[in-house]
Amino acid sequence: MMPSALSPQFSARSPQQAVPPESYDALVSVGTFTPGHMGADGFESVLKYLKKGGLFCFTARSIYFNDTGVGIKERIKKLETEGKIELYSKTPELVYHEGDPHTKYR
């Protein structure tokens, strides 16, 4: 069940409610822009709901971020070049758990 503090507009329970563009000050996405999910083409779809000057935070495993077939890195660069986003911070490696072949364990 979704906590009441979260927006019901993104809930599967209320798909009929339209979310106006530029509705949110900040958006967080975890694992959304990977193969089998939205992919890199989904950035514009999500960013349209962010207010100008808003904060967007997302994660992607480096194996997907650096894969030109997935296109995340290229899409970020394109959006930066077009002036649609400004990259504030990038953390290239995160630890998920020991033994994960796609990350480095420290």
Side-chain angles (χ1 to χ4, degrees):
M1 180 149 162
M2 187 178 343
S4 61
L6 297 177
S7 174
Q9 289 95 337
F10 283 96
S11 167
R13 297 174 189 218
S14 59
Q16 72 282 1
Q17 291 181 336
V19 178
E22 299 185 22
S23 293
Y24 295 96
D25 295 312
L27 296 169
V28 176
S29 174
V30 179
T32 305
F33 304 101
T34 57
H37 297 281
M38 285 184 81
D41 292 337
F43 277 105
E44 286 88 345
S45 297
V46 171
L47 291 173
K48 74 179 182 181
Y49 296 106
L50 188 63
K51 291 178 183 176
K52 188 162 183 77
L55 181 64
F56 177 55
C57 176
F58 78 96
T59 65
R61 288 188 175 199
S62 59
I63 190 169
Y64 299 128
F65 186 83
N66 295 313
D67 183 337
T68 56
V70 177
I72 296 172
K73 184 190 284 188
E74 294 80 6
R75 184 58 55 103
I76 295 297
K77 182 56 80 180
K78 179 180 182 283
L79 291 169
E80 282 184 287
T81 302
E82 293 172 348
K84 294 180 179 177
I85 65 168
E86 180 180 345
L87 183 64
Y88 285 105
S89 176
K90 177 183 165 192
T91 305
E93 296 176 8
L94 296 175
V95 177
Y96 293 95
H97 57 82
E98 186 174 8
D100 185 336
H102 303 300
T103 61
K104 292 185 178 179
Y105 184 73
R106 297 179 213 155

